[in-house]
Each structure stands twice: as structure tokens, then as C-alpha cells.
Amino acid sequence: MRAPHGSAISWSDVQKLFDEFDYTAYRLETLQHYAAEYESEAFARFAASEREGAPPPLSDTDWGARVRAATAEGRRFDRVHVVAEPLTDYIRFECAWGYRRNSAAGERIRILPVKQGEWPEAIPAFDYWLFDSHKLLLMNYADDGSLVSTEIVDDPAEIVRANVWRDRALHLSIPFTEYAAQFDDYMRPR
């Protein structure tokens, strides 16, 4: 399944999409590792605390504050992450220190687990955001998981396809809290 093409937009324009959506913001995540500079220190702390036995921090982040404020206004954040098992260290970190906190802030996170090397039928293997079911934002990543560019897609047919993918991913996935119950505090199988 190929990714649609759109027009490149700046990160400040992306931020406006988060500020201006009226009802829903949906994210499909497909990578097993994201290389975001702002997470590198937290990822290192996660690895160190796992070795030392310290519990994961659940303090709010800028994202958590954004989600909490939006949900208080009646807006909704949904996310589905296609997760290959066994989990990578990054996915364990994202689930233990990110998703638990973001779920508590009000984000509705779901997991679509697959075996390593498999992929769910009719789900694209690229990341996107869909705002209010009619604004499609592609998130383009390099092989190392670093964000390369963001593109807004205006083609109505591609937007309809993104809605179909969203609905299918939501249908096939399970709530994060249900998924996480199978794991310890560090997302290791119980």
C-alpha cells in the first residue's frame, strides 16, 4: 500500500492542526522505533531505571497537558499503534512511560499486535494523523525513525482511504490498558 502524496508543511503548521481541530484527532503509528531528540534522555532513564528497579515516572508532559485540555473541551485523541511482538525496547519504553501517562490524560490508545515480520491486512505501513475525518497529515520517517517531513494531503479520495484505514485499525486493535495488563511495569511479559 503506497503512501499518498501531499504538500510539505512546517512544524508550526502541524501545531496549528492540533490547536484547531474541532472533534477528533486520530493517529496511526507503524514504526517500532522513533528517533525523537526530545525522548532520548527519557529513554536512557527508562533503561537505567529498569536495571535499578525504579518505577516509571507518570508526571504530565506537554503532550499530556495538551490532551488533558482538549478532552476537557470535549475533543478526542485516538491512536492505534501496530506493534510487532516481541516488543522492541523502544516500544516497551513508549508503552510504559508514554502510553500509560497519555491514557491517564485522556488519549484513547489502542494496540494492534502482530508477530514479527507480519502486517495486518488493509492497514498501511506508514504513519498519519487524521483531523476531524477530513484533514490528512502524513508523517514521513527515515529508516532510523527520525521525522523527515510532514505533508498535508488534499485529495478527497486519499482522505476517504485514510478514514477506512482508521476504522479498520480501530476494529482490529485492543485498548492499550487491556494490552498492558499482560505485561509488568516495564512491558515485559508476565
Side-chain angles (χ1 to χ4, degrees):
M1 203 172 299
R2 66 167 183 76
H5 293 287
S7 304
I9 65 171
S10 69
W11 191 250
S12 63
D13 288 333
V14 171
Q15 293 294 335
K16 287 179 190 173
L17 292 170
F18 289 109
D19 294 335
E20 297 172 356
F21 78 91
D22 292 316
Y23 305 106
T24 60
Y26 166 78
R27 170 76 187 261
L28 177 67
E29 288 184 309
T30 61
L31 300 183
Q32 305 309 300
H33 177 85
Y34 291 90
E37 183 65 33
Y38 66 87
E39 287 183 328
S40 59
E41 184 181 324
F43 186 45
R45 283 196 331 262
F46 172 79
S49 67
E50 182 180 21
R51 288 188 301 274
E52 297 162 10
L58 292 177
S59 59
D60 220 357
T61 61
D62 290 344
W63 180 255
R66 177 185 292 274
V67 169
R68 196 176 308 282
T71 55
E73 296 169 355
R75 300 186 299 151
R76 192 173 80 212
F77 282 92
D78 289 300
R79 176 186 311 260
V80 172
H81 197 151
V82 179
V83 170
E85 295 177 331
L87 304 180
T88 65
D89 288 342
Y90 177 84
I91 293 296
R92 291 176 44 251
F93 157 72
E94 185 173 54
C95 288
W97 282 25
Y99 289 170
R100 285 186 175 130
R101 179 180 48 224
N102 294 345
S103 291
E107 186 173 357
R108 295 174 4 159
I109 300 170
R110 298 179 68 84
I111 302 295
L112 202 168
V114 296
K115 291 185 173 127
Q116 195 70 249
E118 294 181 0
W119 199 256
E121 186 179 336
I123 300 294
F126 55 85
D127 288 36
Y128 71 89
W129 279 97
L130 186 62
F131 298 93
D132 294 327
S133 300
H134 70 273
K135 291 182 184 173
L136 176 58
L137 176 70
L138 297 180
M139 308 290 288
N140 302 311
Y141 291 91
D143 289 342
D144 70 352
S146 59
L147 183 64
V148 174
S149 66
T150 53
E151 299 175 48
I152 197 78
V153 176
D154 295 325
D155 181 348
E158 296 295 348
I159 293 169
V160 168
R161 284 178 11 131
N163 278 277
V164 170
W165 296 329
R166 176 203 57 209
D167 294 349
R168 177 144 177 85
L170 288 169
H171 173 73
L172 294 174
S173 60
I174 61 174
F176 169 71
T177 52
E178 182 181 320
Y179 184 73
Q182 304 170 57
F183 299 89
D184 69 9
D185 286 345
Y186 293 94
M187 295 301 291
R188 294 175 298 222
R190 289 191 189 275

